[in-house]
Amino acid sequence: MINQASKLKNLVTPKNVEKNTHFIAITSGKGGVGKSTISANLANILSQDGYKVALLDADIGLANLDVILNVKMGQNLLHVLKGECSLKDILIPINENLMLIPGESGDEILKFNSQFLYERFLEEASELDKLDFMIIDTGAGIGGSTQMFLEAADEVVVVTVPDPASITDAYAVIKIVSRFKTNPLMLFNLVKNEAEANRIFENIKKVAMLNIGEGLNLELIGYISQTPLIVKSIKQRTLFTNDAPYSTQSVELRNIASNLLYRLERKVLSNNSNGSFSDFFKRLIENF
């Protein structure tokens, strides 16, 4: 794998692109907390605001973005690396500014270390160099391939719900993420109100400060309150931000998107640039 990473470094050279892409990984400590629903609807909101967005389904084994978005997935990123199809063949348009990228296990991807295939893939990756955002829906927990995506991403958002087991698992993820990200974000789903979200967050932050250290700058990016609306949209295979764009939950998710944009703007002012999809893929390989 060291030789493979070195080989890839030689293939990717710095280049000027029209815009930088922000890579946002959405993760959780356990399944069933609404991570994929949040990923899809956040990507949808950003696309509605005119940003060019790709949604990467990296939830290996439990991939369900095709169900949430009501589309049919065929070939994926692994097929591109095998040379069985081109990158543009697997891209699934969702709306004018949003596309889905079917992903595959990082372990499987890294088995294909042919220099020719990587060269071809990285040439094709220019198809995605004009993206503003890539939202990465990772697997729950902190397995090998999930951690690889979290390390390569610019921002990590940990989603949890207000029950003890989910909170404990979310804290475990934060503890692992803190090894390579000093400022992970938390997002609470299915809370009663803002007060509940703030109370639980402050408790988690207090424990994290005591056990992980003051170097960790954990932030609350926002919350989404309980509603039958989201359950209904999941059953209908629609997005609640389309079904009810002015609902409380859609407004809450828009606030989360605004907080995320503000955070990224501050990073840009600090000259913390991101890069292209090719650069992201290079980081992905190097972190393996």
Side-chain angles (χ1 to χ4, degrees):
M1 288 304 171
I2 295 175
N3 290 336
Q4 183 176 331
S6 299
K7 189 182 298 182
L8 192 58
K9 284 182 183 179
N10 294 330
L11 296 177
V12 181
T13 55
K15 58 181 179 180
N16 294 322
V17 294
E18 293 183 7
K19 64 175 73 174
N20 284 326
T21 304
H22 301 288
F23 298 89
I24 316 298
I26 312 293
T27 194
S28 64
K30 60 179 294 187
V33 300
K35 170 181 57 61
S36 296
T37 297
I38 288 171
S39 296
N41 280 278
L42 176 61
N44 188 50
I45 280 179
L46 290 169
S47 71
Q48 289 174 345
D49 288 342
Y51 294 103
K52 296 292 184 183
V53 186
L55 186 56
L56 175 60
D57 196 341
D59 190 350
I60 310 307
L62 293 173
N64 62 351
L65 284 177
D66 57 326
V67 176
I68 292 173
L69 296 168
N70 197 22
V71 296
K72 184 177 181 180
M73 291 201 298
Q75 294 171 304
N76 58 42
L77 200 54
L78 181 58
H79 295 98
V80 179
L81 287 171
K82 284 179 172 181
E84 296 175 1
C85 63
S86 67
L87 182 60
K88 63 182 179 181
D89 290 334
I90 71 169
L91 303 178
I92 303 173
I94 306 301
N95 64 38
E96 182 182 359
N97 293 322
L98 176 61
M99 69 179 74
L100 174 64
I101 307 174
E104 182 50 272
S105 165
D107 295 349
E108 286 297 315
I109 286 174
L110 292 172
K111 288 179 182 177
F112 293 88
N113 57 1
S114 160
Q115 180 169 343
F116 170 74
L117 292 178
Y118 275 133
E119 284 177 341
R120 201 183 83 169
F121 173 78
L122 292 170
E123 286 175 3
E124 293 181 0
S126 61
E127 291 267 340
L128 302 176
D129 280 349
K130 294 184 179 181
L131 289 173
D132 294 297
F133 290 94
M134 179 174 289
I135 306 298
I136 306 159
D137 182 34
T138 75
I142 201 69
S145 60
T146 295
Q147 184 171 330
M148 190 170 61
F149 282 108
L150 298 182
E151 289 192 47
D154 301 309
E155 302 287 350
V156 174
V157 179
V158 181
V159 178
T160 189
V161 295
D163 74 69
S166 297
I167 292 169
T168 300
D169 289 341
Y171 175 75
V173 170
I174 291 167
K175 194 171 182 179
I176 296 296
V177 170
S178 68
R179 297 174 184 173
F180 47 86
K181 292 277 192 283
T182 59
N183 52 355
L185 303 169
M186 287 205 75
L187 190 160
F188 285 89
N189 192 24
L190 303 177
V191 295
K192 295 177 182 177
N193 48 43
E194 182 179 6
E196 181 180 49
N198 286 329
R199 175 178 57 80
I200 299 173
F201 173 72
E202 289 303 325
N203 289 337
I204 294 174
K205 188 174 182 179
K206 183 177 180 180
V207 173
M209 292 286 286
L210 289 172
N211 294 282
I212 300 175
E214 295 184 358
L216 176 67
N217 182 25
L218 186 63
E219 291 186 35
L220 177 63
I221 195 72
Y223 67 93
I224 299 176
S225 55
Q226 293 177 340
T227 176
L229 168 68
I230 297 179
V231 176
K232 181 181 178 182
S233 70
I234 293 171
K235 289 180 178 178
Q236 294 179 340
R237 299 178 68 174
T238 58
L239 299 177
F240 71 85
T241 47
N242 284 339
D243 296 340
Y246 304 108
S247 66
T248 298
Q249 290 70 30
S250 291
V251 171
E252 289 166 349
L253 193 53
R254 282 197 171 275
N255 289 337
I256 290 169
S258 295
N259 291 339
L260 188 59
L261 288 167
Y262 176 69
R263 177 184 173 94
L264 292 170
E265 285 172 2
R266 284 185 298 168
K267 284 197 169 185
V268 169
L269 291 175
S270 301
N271 296 319
N272 189 350
S273 59
N274 300 283
S276 65
F277 179 75
S278 303
D279 297 325
F280 171 77
F281 191 79
K282 180 186 72 170
R283 296 201 302 271
L284 197 64
I285 300 297
E286 291 174 348
N287 286 338
F288 183 76

